[in-house]
Amino acid sequence: EVQLVESGGGLVQPGGSLRLSCTASGFTFSSRVMYWVRQTPGKGPEWISAISNSGSDIYYTDSVKGRFTISRDNSKNTVFLQMNSLRADDTAKYYCAKIGVRDGFDTWGQGTMVTVSS
Amino acid sequence: AIQMTQFPSSLSASVGDRVTITCRASQGIGIYLGWYQQKPGRAPKQLIYAASNLQSGVPSRFSGSGSGTDFTLTINTLQPEDFATYYCLQDHSYLTFGGGTKVES
């Protein structure tokens, strides 16, 4: 079964840090671009970061550049999102995803909630 | 950045209705568009990929069309389980989601 399982969310104070992990199974992880997408309650999803299959190409949306870092460990089938300098507007459910808009090989994790509050 | 304008933002429908949702891209994206259904508390679920291809396991009452800048999701004969929020997603350049369409009774 193709599966993505996120972990690492929680409550953190403004200015704090969290590291999210997403472990994949059921597909050839090292051949796929991986994404992090977040969604604030009541709003639509927002793409925040992507990493190529080898990890050599990395992309971020403007609102997280310089604060978030995506990485992957293909030997452990895991993608990470290091989140620093967290702000209240980073509060959201964070999803790890293998996006299949072009080929239909689309899988999302269950999401992990990040709450930034004092 | 490519912007995706989705409309309507909400619609009221009844079981058995035909529902049409539209997404317009700010520039041409070929067929690099997918349609997703999301229910409260759940991750988005892909219905359509490459603009018009039905994802495996998705009922045939769902269909997608379009290319370039204008795309449509059609739900024929709306079923009770179809009341949800629908999003388009382009991946021609990075990823951009549409604003969503809430289908309610």
Side-chain angles (χ1 to χ4, degrees):
Chain A
E1 180 190 7
V2 178
Q3 197 171 9
L4 296 170
V5 178
E6 302 101 333
S7 61
L11 174 64
V12 61
Q13 292 189 338
S17 298
L18 277 177
R19 189 192 198 204
L20 306 184
S21 299
C22 169
T23 300
S25 59
F27 67 98
T28 305
F29 178 76
S30 59
S31 69
R32 300 293 301 202
V33 177
M34 295 300 296
Y35 298 84
W36 286 98
V37 173
R38 68 183 178 185
Q39 187 170 26
T40 303
K43 297 199 172 181
E46 174 193 25
W47 165 75
I48 56 171
S49 187
I51 185 167
S52 65
N53 61 319
S54 67
S56 60
D57 297 304
I58 285 173
Y59 309 93
Y60 301 99
T61 194
D62 286 348
S63 62
V64 308
K65 278 180 186 173
R67 301 188 299 123
F68 290 12
T69 302
I70 192 171
S71 61
R72 66 190 295 162
D73 183 342
N74 286 344
S75 70
K76 296 182 179 178
N77 287 356
T78 302
V79 59
F80 304 97
L81 187 68
Q82 177 67 43
M83 304 187 295
N84 298 331
S85 303
L86 282 161
R87 311 185 302 221
D89 62 358
D90 294 317
T91 295
K93 194 168 192 180
Y94 285 71
Y95 293 99
C96 164
K98 171 172 69 71
I99 299 293
V101 165
R102 302 189 184 197
D103 60 11
F105 291 108
D106 194 271
T107 303
W108 294 61
Q110 83 286 357
T112 186
M113 189 68 203
V114 172
T115 303
V116 185
S117 174
S118 54
Chain B
I2 297 175
Q3 307 297 319
M4 300 301 296
T5 302
Q6 184 175 341
F7 50 91
S9 57
S10 66
L11 64 90
S12 181
S14 300
V15 172
D17 284 353
R18 184 184 192 197
V19 168
T20 300
I21 299 168
T22 299
C23 257
R24 179 163 293 153
S26 59
Q27 64 187 74
I29 59 170
I31 59 168
Y32 297 146
L33 183 112
W35 289 98
Y36 292 76
Q37 177 193 69
Q38 189 176 31
K39 295 184 177 179
R42 304 291 297 273
K45 171 190 171 185
Q46 191 183 65
L47 304 173
I48 301 288
Y49 66 95
S52 62
N53 292 272
L54 191 67
Q55 175 63 259
S56 176
V58 173
S60 59
R61 63 181 179 272
F62 292 93
S63 64
S65 64
S67 65
T69 60
D70 294 318
F71 301 85
T72 299
L73 173 71
T74 300
I75 312 172
N76 284 305
T77 318
L78 193 72
Q79 297 299 300
E81 61 269 29
D82 300 336
F83 291 101
T85 301
Y86 295 84
Y87 296 96
C88 62
L89 170 61
Q90 70 81 21
D91 89 332
H92 179 270
S93 175
Y94 303 111
L95 297 181
T96 313
F97 289 87
T101 298
K102 186 173 184 178
V103 177
E104 48 197 353
S105 59

